[in-house]
Amino acid sequence: MTPQPETLTVSYHTAENLPAVEPLLLDLYAEIYATEAAEDPFVSSGSPTASTTTPLPPRWGCALGEVDGVPIGYAYGFARTADYKWAGLVSMVPGVDLTEHDTRTFALCEVMVRADFRGTGTARTLHEELLSHRVGERSNLLVDEEHPKVRALYERWGYTEMGIMQPYPDSPRYVSMWRPITL
């Protein structure tokens, strides 16, 4: 009997169903960041989602990828609100409009895929599925300055630099990037 090929399925989740998927997200985060968390206190203190006991940011959403019922990656984020102030912005590309309103910018927090599925297009599929559920004008993400290959990947996906951010005094510096929700 010939084995069936692996098929990626992607499901979209909102804050209402986070309690059902959060254990899967936490397990994936722990697996994917195991090495970094052991070496970097900034990573080890992080969490892929707000706890179910903490209010989630507005319009939180997540695209979860599974192959044969096994979680292999996810992308998640939330909508910025009108009172967002772009704290930690160190420098900005000239002409960037930082004005926010409740549906302007979607903050993409993570796109992560298990190592054995990297390079397969899974990350982009999860990213695009997540953005397909957004009503805002643009998506914003941060890339560690020390990860030029990751930055180049996002540039291929249509993102451009809008500035440099250091959101916390003990955090790395990040290239802040954005692109229109729909290309």
Side-chain angles (χ1 to χ4, degrees):
M1 178 177 216
T2 306
Q4 295 294 316
E6 295 176 336
T7 302
L8 174 67
T9 57
V10 180
S11 54
Y12 181 75
H13 303 275
T14 62
E16 290 74 34
N17 50 4
L18 175 60
V21 298
E22 186 173 36
L24 303 174
L25 304 181
L26 291 170
D27 287 348
L28 278 169
Y29 183 89
E31 175 187 341
I32 292 167
Y33 282 117
T35 302
E36 291 88 347
E39 299 170 359
D40 184 344
F42 188 75
V43 172
S44 65
S45 66
S47 173
T49 64
S51 167
T52 53
T53 60
T54 303
L56 287 170
R59 297 175 301 281
W60 182 92
C62 175
L64 173 64
E66 297 177 290
V67 170
D68 300 328
V70 177
I72 62 154
Y74 64 90
Y76 84 96
F78 62 93
R80 296 229 187 271
T81 60
D83 62 349
Y84 183 74
K85 301 299 182 212
W86 295 94
L89 194 59
V90 176
S91 66
M92 186 173 65
V93 172
V96 169
D97 180 4
L98 298 178
T99 307
E100 289 298 341
H101 50 76
D102 286 348
T103 59
R104 184 161 199 207
T105 304
F106 178 71
L108 180 64
C109 297
E110 293 274 3
V111 178
M112 61 174 61
V113 176
R114 285 183 29 211
D116 49 335
F117 287 91
R118 291 184 190 142
T120 65
T122 300
R124 181 139 194 200
T125 298
L126 294 171
H127 171 269
E128 296 303 325
E129 177 64 21
L130 178 62
L131 293 188
S132 77
H133 292 271
R134 309 319 303 176
V135 296
E137 297 171 26
R138 61 192 185 192
S139 173
N140 171 245
L141 56 81
L142 302 178
V143 177
D144 189 316
E145 282 186 316
E146 296 181 11
H147 294 109
K149 289 181 181 180
V150 176
R151 178 182 176 169
L153 172 74
Y154 287 126
E155 287 171 343
R156 288 191 302 274
W157 293 1
Y159 283 86
T160 59
E161 180 178 340
M162 54 84 51
I164 303 295
M165 292 185 81
Q166 186 169 11
Y168 308 102
D170 62 340
S171 75
R173 287 172 47 114
Y174 296 95
V175 178
S176 183
M177 304 177 80
W178 53 20
R179 68 161 245 200
I181 292 285
T182 56
L183 290 178

